[in-house]
Amino acid sequence: MRPEEQIREYRTYTETYLKTIYDRFRGEPQKLLFEAAEYSLLAGGKRLRPVLAFEFCRLCGRDWKLAAPLAAGVEMIHTYSLIHDDLPCMDNDDFRRGRPTNHKVFGEGMAVLAGDALLTDAFLMASSAEIPEPWSMSDAVSLLAECAGSLGMVGGQVLDIMSQERELTEQEVLAIQSRKTGKLIKAACCLGAMAGGATQAQFDAASQFANDLGLAFQIRDDMLDVIGTQEEMGKGVGTDQDKNTFVRLYGLEKCEELVITFTNRAISALTPFGDAELLKQLALDLTARRT
């Protein structure tokens, strides 16, 4: 199967799988909560993190669908972070993926609770996965919590808020952005590898790939906030002009060079997997993306 066909299969399966998550709760009295959660969870997008989880599981030798509970858990955490990011107390955005943000539809209180539910339910979902040797469920849950929490994505957001009154050094910007975006990408890659029964060398390679891809992805994201349009992005642009982004630190030309550098480093990390054409192509496509 060609890489683009495999990616399409992963994304189609992801959409179908995510639609089943809250089916068992349909009769519960708090159905508005589930509607709010699904409004954002089923809003589409690249589904990058599930694609990465599925492919690393496949490359490690197991049926890629076995990674589905873990892939869904990461996507649920990613979705919760977007809901909370869009709130008036954070980025105060009106649109996400081409339609009104969660709090614009359901109100701020319900949006907060929908995010809370997605975050917590993500661990319920992830814990249902079948983890083979040499890994255990405790390894997987610990990794997911570390990447999502105060040492990962949330910690990166906190550092970002604390730094808005001053200009940061290169290392400080790298520390923030590698946590804000890179940690959930790492969770997807490494959990997929765990689901596939990865060797230590494969796990380490997945982690290194994720670190470099996460930086390339975030730098490109910072660039698109400057050069993209609302129609292309499906959300407001120019919202990061006063933040400590890579573009503010380096300028667009240098950022373009860094995207290429980190993308090439990510591709080089894939050696332990032999034929990793899909991941190589995916990394290159993300380098040139306009959305």
Side-chain angles (χ1 to χ4, degrees):
M1 186 179 295
R2 292 181 298 176
E4 58 270 23
E5 293 173 341
Q6 184 69 70
I7 290 174
R8 188 159 50 247
E9 182 177 9
Y10 288 157
R11 286 175 173 160
T12 300
Y13 186 81
T14 297
E15 298 300 332
T16 301
Y17 192 87
L18 292 177
K19 287 176 182 176
T20 69
I21 290 175
Y22 285 113
D23 280 351
R24 58 185 146 165
F25 301 122
R26 294 299 176 197
E28 296 292 330
Q30 64 271 34
K31 63 179 182 179
L32 184 61
L33 172 67
F34 306 131
E35 290 175 9
E38 286 190 326
Y39 176 81
S40 296
L41 183 62
L42 304 181
K46 302 176 188 67
R47 303 304 188 195
L48 170 63
R49 293 153 192 83
V51 168
L52 290 169
F54 289 142
E55 181 63 3
F56 272 106
C57 182
R58 187 188 72 82
L59 287 175
C60 290
R62 298 187 82 213
D63 180 354
W64 58 266
K65 292 182 180 178
L66 294 173
L70 296 165
V74 176
E75 192 70 358
M76 292 166 78
I77 292 174
H78 174 57
T79 301
Y80 117 78
S81 75
L82 299 181
I83 294 174
H84 283 193
D85 279 353
D86 291 337
L87 289 168
C89 63
M90 297 289 281
D91 290 344
N92 195 23
D93 282 325
D94 293 337
F95 292 94
R96 169 73 65 177
R97 290 172 177 161
R99 60 181 186 167
T101 47
N102 199 289
H103 68 275
K104 287 292 181 180
V105 177
F106 296 95
E108 291 181 36
M110 191 58 66
V112 169
L113 292 170
D116 292 344
L118 283 163
L119 171 61
T120 310
D121 294 343
F123 286 91
L124 178 64
M125 177 59 60
S127 66
S128 69
E130 177 190 339
I131 303 294
E133 295 292 345
W135 311 100
S136 68
M137 180 53 67
S138 63
D139 292 327
V141 171
S142 178
L143 175 66
L144 185 58
E146 180 181 332
C147 289
S150 56
L151 296 178
M153 181 186 67
V154 173
Q157 293 282 22
V158 170
L159 291 175
D160 192 22
I161 290 174
M162 292 172 60
S163 69
Q164 289 180 8
E165 300 301 319
R166 64 185 180 88
E167 289 194 22
L168 301 185
T169 65
E170 177 181 5
Q171 287 306 310
E172 287 174 319
V173 173
L174 285 169
I176 290 173
Q177 303 300 355
S178 63
R179 291 187 183 189
K180 280 180 61 177
T181 300
K183 285 296 185 179
L184 280 193
I185 289 178
K186 177 180 178 179
C189 295
C190 291
L191 289 173
M194 284 181 175
T199 64
Q200 188 64 53
Q202 289 174 323
F203 179 86
D204 292 343
S207 179
Q208 186 60 56
F209 172 84
N211 289 339
D212 290 324
L213 181 65
L215 283 170
F217 187 88
Q218 183 59 54
I219 295 170
R220 186 64 180 168
D221 213 46
D222 289 351
M223 293 173 66
L224 290 174
D225 188 68
V226 177
I227 65 176
T229 66
Q230 181 166 322
E231 290 72 25
E232 290 174 321
M233 301 293 289
K235 62 179 182 178
V237 296
T239 58
D240 295 339
Q241 57 185 340
D242 295 323
K243 296 182 180 180
N244 284 287
T245 65
F246 285 103
V247 172
R248 183 177 178 182
L249 181 65
Y250 295 121
L252 285 171
E253 185 175 348
K254 177 65 174 177
C255 281
E256 189 71 53
E257 295 174 5
L258 287 173
V259 168
I260 295 171
T261 296
F262 284 119
T263 300
N264 289 337
R265 281 175 47 174
I267 291 172
S268 296
L270 294 172
T271 303
F273 296 101
D275 180 17
E277 190 58 37
L278 185 151
L279 291 175
K280 294 175 184 177
Q281 188 60 54
L282 183 63
L284 292 171
D285 288 345
L286 291 171
T287 301
R289 67 191 171 97
R290 291 287 307 185
T291 62

